[in-house]
Amino acid sequence: MAPQDDALDEAIWIDLYGPQPAQIARVKALGIDVPTLEDMEEIQLSSRLYREGDVDYITVVLPGMTPEGRKMSRPICFVLAPERLVTVRYHEPEPFRRFVANGGRAGVGCDTPGRVAMGLVEDIVDHLADALEEIGRRLDEISGEVFGGGRLNRINVLQRSLESAGLQGERIGKVRLSLLTMERALNYIDQFPAEKETGKDVKRLARGQARDVLSLVVHGDHLSARVSFVTDATLGLIGLEQNKAVSMLSAMVALFAPATLISSIWGMNFVWMPEIQNEFGFFLSLALMAASAGLTFLYFKWRGWL
């Protein structure tokens, strides 16, 4: 990567992070057009993978941090020319920061633009694999919370688990989008003409990365299925917990219904009421209320409603 004050015509890799008009003009002076963010956000395949002369434009979507500190996925364009690689980006994915921090010491080398590009691709694929591994570990934790049972505030635990599962599903969606664009980009590189500098060397490296991407796509599908399963199970358990609460409330209402009936009958202030003058009438009514509640409780237990 060449700093702004260096001679760009000698640079192998030029990284444009939020390029300014002066920087774009310097790169254009080398015969390379710099796509705008609006151009890079076009979803047509012909707008993301194309060739102008001997320069290839390859756009992928990667998660990263914006200058404002927000996490989001944005496109990054790899402009691969015979003499140099130009990357155009408007956010900072972790692989780029890590590649720069390591001084570009990639396993494939950095002596040609194609090898620099494949070094970045290697770090990107490793980062996406780490993201899927982290999501898998988080799903294990969520599954333990959902199926653990026997906890207080069970509804609150299930609601938090449902939110966490939805968040992991959103993360999987972003990773899968990145893998999709990476897969298309690597297939495009594999179709480079054999006479290009990248034709023999980078094509071989791209095939290896394409196999890794394919395996990650399969693993991402597996994690998506797990998210769906955990979400459905959580919703089902929340429904059961709510039904249990409603059943308990209904049972309590039914349990005291006979006692309420008895108290209502003897609470009618008519002139003539049986046992109204009995000195043991109050205790008799209490006994009838307790007996009716007890018999109702035993009946509910016998039917398995409690």
Side-chain angles (χ1 to χ4, degrees):
M1 181 176 62
Q4 184 174 357
D5 296 334
D6 288 352
L8 296 185
D9 54 353
E10 298 179 1
I12 296 179
W13 176 29
I14 302 173
D15 183 33
L16 297 178
Y17 179 21
Q20 301 301 313
Q23 297 171 330
I24 295 175
R26 294 183 64 193
V27 173
K28 282 188 175 181
L30 301 175
I32 298 176
D33 289 331
V34 178
T36 64
L37 179 60
E38 290 75 16
D39 294 334
M40 294 161 55
E41 288 177 339
E42 295 288 340
I43 63 174
Q44 300 96 321
L45 192 60
S46 59
S47 299
R48 291 191 169 182
L49 304 172
Y50 61 94
R51 175 176 300 158
E52 292 183 355
D54 57 354
V55 180
D56 291 284
Y57 292 79
I58 305 170
T59 302
V60 298
V61 178
L62 299 178
M65 299 289 293
T66 65
E68 297 78 20
R70 293 185 293 114
K71 292 183 178 180
M72 64 183 307
S73 294
R74 275 186 170 179
I76 292 178
C77 186
F78 289 76
V79 184
L80 190 56
E83 299 83 8
R84 61 187 53 85
L85 167 69
V86 178
T87 53
V88 185
R89 57 192 177 98
Y90 291 83
H91 71 315
E92 187 173 15
E94 176 64 22
F96 274 73
R97 188 183 64 80
R98 185 168 56 191
F99 191 83
V100 174
N102 293 335
R105 292 189 295 270
V108 299
C110 299
D111 53 338
T112 66
R115 285 185 174 272
V116 174
M118 294 313 302
L120 285 168
V121 169
E122 182 179 11
D123 275 3
I124 290 170
V125 174
D126 289 343
H127 179 69
L128 295 177
D130 293 340
L132 290 178
E133 291 173 2
E134 181 183 353
I135 292 171
R137 289 191 294 268
R138 182 61 186 134
L139 286 176
D140 290 338
E141 297 174 1
I142 295 173
S143 297
E145 295 174 355
V146 170
F147 300 109
R151 299 181 182 180
L152 297 176
N153 299 323
R154 178 70 170 157
I155 288 290
N156 294 334
V157 173
L158 292 173
Q159 288 178 345
R160 289 195 300 269
S161 299
L162 184 61
E163 293 174 359
S164 298
L167 178 61
Q168 301 311 311
E170 179 67 18
R171 292 181 62 191
I172 292 174
K174 293 180 179 179
V175 173
R176 292 179 68 183
L177 175 60
S178 298
L179 291 173
L180 174 63
T181 58
M182 288 297 301
E183 183 181 14
R184 290 175 175 175
L186 292 171
N187 290 336
Y188 177 81
I189 293 175
D190 191 33
Q191 298 174 8
F192 276 168
E195 65 271 9
K196 286 178 65 72
E197 176 271 333
T198 52
K200 298 179 181 179
D201 190 19
V202 177
K203 285 173 66 172
R204 175 181 56 83
L205 298 173
R207 292 191 188 103
Q209 294 299 326
R211 288 191 293 269
D212 291 340
V213 169
L214 182 59
S215 65
L216 292 179
V217 169
V218 175
H219 189 63
D221 292 340
H222 167 68
L223 292 178
S224 295
R226 287 192 61 190
V227 169
S228 298
F229 170 74
V230 171
T231 301
D232 293 342
T234 305
L235 289 173
L237 291 174
I238 289 176
L240 289 176
E241 291 292 331
Q242 291 176 339
N243 290 338
K244 186 187 300 184
V246 173
S247 298
M248 289 295 296
L249 180 61
S250 301
M252 293 297 294
V253 172
L255 193 65
F256 291 101
T260 303
L261 177 63
I262 294 173
S263 64
S264 300
I265 292 175
W266 266 284
M268 293 184 294
N269 296 320
F270 292 117
V271 175
W272 182 87
M273 288 288 294
E275 309 297 337
I276 195 71
Q277 301 297 329
N278 193 321
E279 60 178 321
F280 299 106
F282 173 71
F283 300 102
L284 178 61
S285 63
L286 290 181
L288 288 175
M289 292 179 191
S292 63
L295 291 174
T296 304
F297 176 79
L298 293 176
Y299 177 75
F300 283 180
K301 289 291 271 186
W302 175 65
R303 293 298 301 267
W305 296 344
L306 287 176

